[in-house]
Amino acid sequence: MGIKPTAEGRTTISAEITKDAFDKVFATAVQEVAPRPPGDKDFGRSGGNVSGDLPIPEPLQEYVESITVASPYLRM
């Protein structure tokens, strides 16, 4: 995949991927979550996507423990 590790240890990597690329890499669909406007008790929620468990692509299995789709955030 063109990634050469330069250090070892725990880390979190955030990244974006297009829907088409996501479907191709993970062979699973994501569920779209619509944004929610501010309400009486909160400032609303961003839109985004959610997904079930995702498989780790073969080239990354030695290096990656898990892959998840970050859920939409709540505005504070």
Side-chain angles (χ1 to χ4, degrees), residues 12-72:
T12 298
I13 298 172
S14 296
E16 292 183 350
I17 188 170
T18 65
K19 183 181 179 322
D20 291 340
F22 183 93
D23 293 346
K24 182 178 177 183
V25 170
F26 297 108
T28 187
V30 292
Q31 177 185 3
E32 189 170 340
V33 177
R36 187 180 69 218
D40 292 339
K41 298 185 179 187
D42 64 35
F43 293 103
R45 179 186 67 206
S46 69
N49 297 290
V50 294
S51 173
D53 293 340
L54 297 173
I56 299 169
E58 180 67 36
L60 298 178
Q61 288 182 358
E62 181 180 347
Y63 309 104
V64 175
E65 183 177 305
S66 67
I67 297 178
T68 59
V69 173
S71 59

